[in-house]
Amino acid sequence: MSSFAMLQLAFITLAITSIAAYGFFHGRFLKNPITRTSILLAIAHPDDEVMFFGPTLAELSRPEHGNIIHVLCMSSGNHDGLGETRKKELVASCKTFGIREANILVLEREELQDGPTNLWDPSLVGDQMNLYAKKHNIETIVTFDDRGVSGHTNHIALYVGLTYFIQTFKERTPVKTCYVLKSVSLLRKYIAILDLPVTMLKTEALMPLVSQMFGLGGAASLAGGASSSVRSRAMIRPQELLYVSAPAAVYQAKTAMEKHESQMVWFRKIYVVVSRYMSINELRRVM
C-alpha cells in the first residue's frame, strides 16, 4: 500500500471514529453539571469569548440551565486602534449567546493594553476578577490555562491572574469553583471535530460515565465511598468538564464570530472552519 493510500485510510478511519464518538457523546454523556449559578468568563480581548470558549458559552447559556453569564474583558483589543469598534462587536457577539450588555465589562486601563509583548501584572488581573466577583456575586470563573490556547502573553496573564486571585481571595470571595480551558497541541488544535476521539480518550470528564457503564459504582467509587453529600458536591463540581457542540451550537458560534467584522481576515475565516475550539472545549478545575 502506498503512503498516500495509507494516509487516506487513516483519515477515513479518524473521520468514522469521530462521527461515532460524537454520536456516543450526545447520546450517553452526563448532563451539564453547572446550572442555576452565576458564571464569569474572563478573557483578554474581544473575540476570545467565541474563538476559544464558543462551546462552553453555547452550553452554559442554554435557558433550561438557568445560568447567568457575565463576561469580563481585560482590554478592548486596541492594539491596532480598533478598541471602540471591538467593544461593540463583543456586545453583539455575546448577544448571540443571550448574554445581556449589562453583564459585559471591558476594562480600559493603561496597565492592561492589548499586545503580545505587554506583560500584565497578575495582581491587577486578579484584583479585577475579585472586584467583579464580589459586585455580581459570581460563583464560577472560567478563563484560559497556563498555555493560553494560542500562547498569547495576554491569555496566559489571565491564568496567572486567576492563580493570584485564588491564593489571595479564596477565603473571602463568593466564587466556589474556577475552571481553565485546556490547551492542546498545534496538530490537535486544527483538526476540528476530528480531535474528539483523542479528547475522549484523554479526558477525565468521562470517568464517572465509564464507571457507571462498567458497573464500577459511578461517582461513589471515584469518591472513595464518601458520604452522599460529599458525592453530590463531587458531581456538582467535577474535576474536568467536556463540552461538544451540536451542529446548531457550532452555527451559533460561527454567527457570533461573524459579529467581529473587524477581525474577520482570511486566516480567521479558516480558523472558524478548522479549529477544534469552535466545537470542543475541555475545562479543568483549579479551585
Side-chain angles (χ1 to χ4, degrees), residues 126-172:
D127 285 342
Q128 296 303 314
M129 291 179 179
N130 179 55
L131 290 171
Y132 197 98
K134 282 187 173 181
K135 181 177 180 179
H136 298 280
N137 197 32
I138 299 297
E139 296 182 344
T140 299
I141 294 179
V142 177
T143 193
F144 293 100
D145 71 358
D146 58 344
R147 290 193 285 162
V149 178
S150 65
H152 196 298
T153 304
N154 299 162
H155 295 178
I156 296 171
L158 268 294
Y159 173 81
V160 181
L162 179 67
T163 301
Y164 171 86
F165 165 81
I166 294 171
Q167 293 174 345
T168 307
F169 302 109
K170 184 176 181 179
E171 304 303 326
R172 42 201 173 98

